[in-house]
Amino acid sequence: MNNSAIGKSWDEVRAELFTPQELKEMESRVKLMHAIADARKKKGLSQRELEKISGVSQPVIARMEKGDVNAKIDTIMKILIALGGELSVTF
């Protein structure tokens, strides 16, 4: 029920706009991009330095970290490996 005087809550709007699967996909993508950005920063690397060791261009890294690109798995893997990480899938 909407108790807000100005309209629907964000949760209500999200539920109307996106399916539960779409929401889960977005949440997973955001978690991954934050993890990559956090790992890069913890290693003290700039995006340019990560570009040099991963082979992924700095503009792509920047767009990934901002969530502006739907990166291919091979691009994600290049960055994960360069940062000393690995991909783990859980069900």
Side-chain angles (χ1 to χ4, degrees):
M1 186 63 152
N2 181 10
N3 294 327
S4 174
I6 59 171
K8 297 179 181 180
S9 71
W10 171 240
D11 288 336
E12 291 171 318
V13 172
R14 279 183 359 155
E16 290 176 8
L17 293 176
F18 304 105
T19 66
Q21 179 162 339
E22 289 171 324
L23 290 171
K24 185 69 175 170
E25 289 171 9
M26 286 186 283
E27 289 169 8
S28 295
R29 192 175 300 115
V30 167
K31 284 180 186 178
L32 177 61
M33 296 311 126
H34 280 293
I36 287 172
D38 290 345
R40 177 183 62 77
K41 291 172 187 172
K42 284 180 184 173
K43 290 195 171 279
L45 296 171
S46 69
Q47 290 176 348
R48 286 274 179 221
E49 291 167 325
L50 181 55
E51 172 186 49
K52 289 176 186 170
I53 61 173
S54 71
V56 176
S57 73
Q58 183 275 327
V60 170
I61 293 168
R63 287 194 306 268
M64 284 177 63
E65 289 185 1
K66 289 190 328 188
D68 289 346
V69 68
N70 191 7
K72 293 180 181 181
I73 190 72
D74 62 330
T75 303
I76 294 168
M77 294 304 298
K78 287 177 183 178
I79 291 173
L80 288 176
I81 291 167
L83 291 171
E86 63 182 42
L87 184 62
S88 175
V89 179
T90 57
F91 294 95

